[in-house]
C-alpha cells in the first residue's frame, strides 16, 4: 500500500519484465520448452526460405504460439501442484497428466498445421539446396548439433536455483 491507503500499481514495463522472466524460467527449467522453441526456429527458417504466403505464416505463428503458451501454462500448473502437494498424490498426478495432455494435443495439431503448410515441392527444393552446397550443409549440421546440445546437453535449472 502507498501512503494514503492507495494500492501500489506496478507499471506496464514491470509486467512485461515479469512475463519475460517467466518465459526465461521455462526455457531454463523445461526441456520440452527448449524443444518447442527450437522447433519454432526451424519452422520459421524453412517458411522464410520457401517464401510462404503471409496467411500461411500467420497460421504457423498461431500454431507455434499455441504450443509454447500451452507448455508455459503446463509448467506453471506443475510447479503449483508441486508447491501445494509436495508428496505423491494420485489426484495431483491426474491434474498434471491432463495439463500435459493439453500440450500434447496442441503440439499434434501444430505439427499437422506445419505439415499442411510446409510439405510441398518448395520444401524439397530448399532441402536439396542445403544438401547440395557443402558450406550450407555444414552450417545446417552444426545448427542441428547445437540444437541437440541446447536441448539435451545444457543442464536444467530449477526456478529456485541461482541463474
Amino acid at each position: 500500500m502507498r501512503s494514503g491507503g492507495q494500492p501500489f500499481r506496478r507499471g506496464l514495463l514491470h509486467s512485461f519484465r515479469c512475463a519475460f522472466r517467466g518465459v526465461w524460467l521455462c526455457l531454463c527449467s523445461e526441456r520440452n520448452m527448449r524443444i518447442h522453441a527450437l522447433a519454432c526456429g526451424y519452422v520459421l527458417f524453412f517458411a522464410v526460405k520457401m517464401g510462404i504466403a503471409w496467411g500461411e505464416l500467420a497460421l504457423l505463428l498461431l500454431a507455434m504460439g499455441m504450443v509454447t503458451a500451452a507448455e508455459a501454462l503446463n509448467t506453471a500448473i506443475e510447479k503449483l501442484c508441486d508447491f501445494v502437494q509436495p508428496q505423491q498424490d494420485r489426484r495431483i498426478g491426474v491434474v498434471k497428466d491432463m495439463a500435459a495432455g493439453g500440450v500434447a494435443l496442441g503440439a499434434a495439431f501444430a505439427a499437422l498445421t506445419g505439415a499442411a503448410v510446409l510439405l510441398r515441392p518448395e520444401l524439397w527444393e530448399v532441402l536439396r539446396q542445403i544438401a547440395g552446397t557443402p558450406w550450407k550443409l555444414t552450417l545446417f549440421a552444426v545448427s542441428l548439433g547445437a540444437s541437440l546440445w541446447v536441448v539435451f546437453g545444457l543442464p536444467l535449472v530449477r526456478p529456485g536455483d541461482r541463474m
Side-chain angles (χ1 to χ4, degrees):
M1 290 273 196
R2 289 185 181 170
S3 61
Q6 294 289 352
F8 178 75
R9 292 191 183 170
R10 295 196 166 129
L12 188 60
L13 182 61
H14 178 78
S15 296
F16 278 110
R17 221 181 339 224
C18 290
F20 287 120
R21 184 176 61 236
V23 171
W24 180 251
L25 288 170
C26 281
L27 284 168
C28 291
S29 66
E30 298 300 318
R31 181 168 287 123
N32 288 346
M33 183 60 102
R34 293 179 190 178
I35 292 169
H36 295 309
L38 290 167
C40 289
Y42 283 109
V43 166
L44 289 175
F45 169 80
F46 283 108
V48 168
K49 292 292 281 179
M50 291 170 57
I52 66 168
W54 286 105
E56 293 171 317
L57 180 60
L59 287 174
L60 292 175
L61 291 171
L62 185 61
M64 290 185 285
M66 176 190 61
V67 172
T68 53
E71 185 64 47
L73 291 171
N74 176 53
T75 298
I77 289 169
E78 287 182 356
K79 301 298 181 204
L80 181 60
C81 286
D82 291 344
F83 175 76
V84 170
Q85 179 58 275
Q87 290 81 28
Q88 289 279 66
D89 185 296
R90 183 188 57 77
R91 296 167 298 180
I92 293 292
V94 168
V95 170
K96 288 180 169 185
D97 290 348
M98 292 170 93
V103 177
L105 284 171
F109 281 96
L112 290 172
T113 301
V117 171
L118 297 176
L119 289 180
R120 54 182 167 194
E122 292 92 333
L123 175 62
W124 311 122
E125 182 56 34
V126 169
L127 290 170
R128 270 193 291 281
Q129 288 174 5
I130 291 171
T133 311
W135 71 267
K136 288 181 182 178
L137 184 60
T138 301
L139 194 60
F140 194 73
V142 167
S143 81
L144 285 175
S147 295
L148 289 172
W149 180 75
V150 165
V151 170
F152 299 107
L154 283 179
L156 296 175
V157 178
R158 297 295 159 209
D161 297 346
R162 284 194 127 351
M163 294 213 272

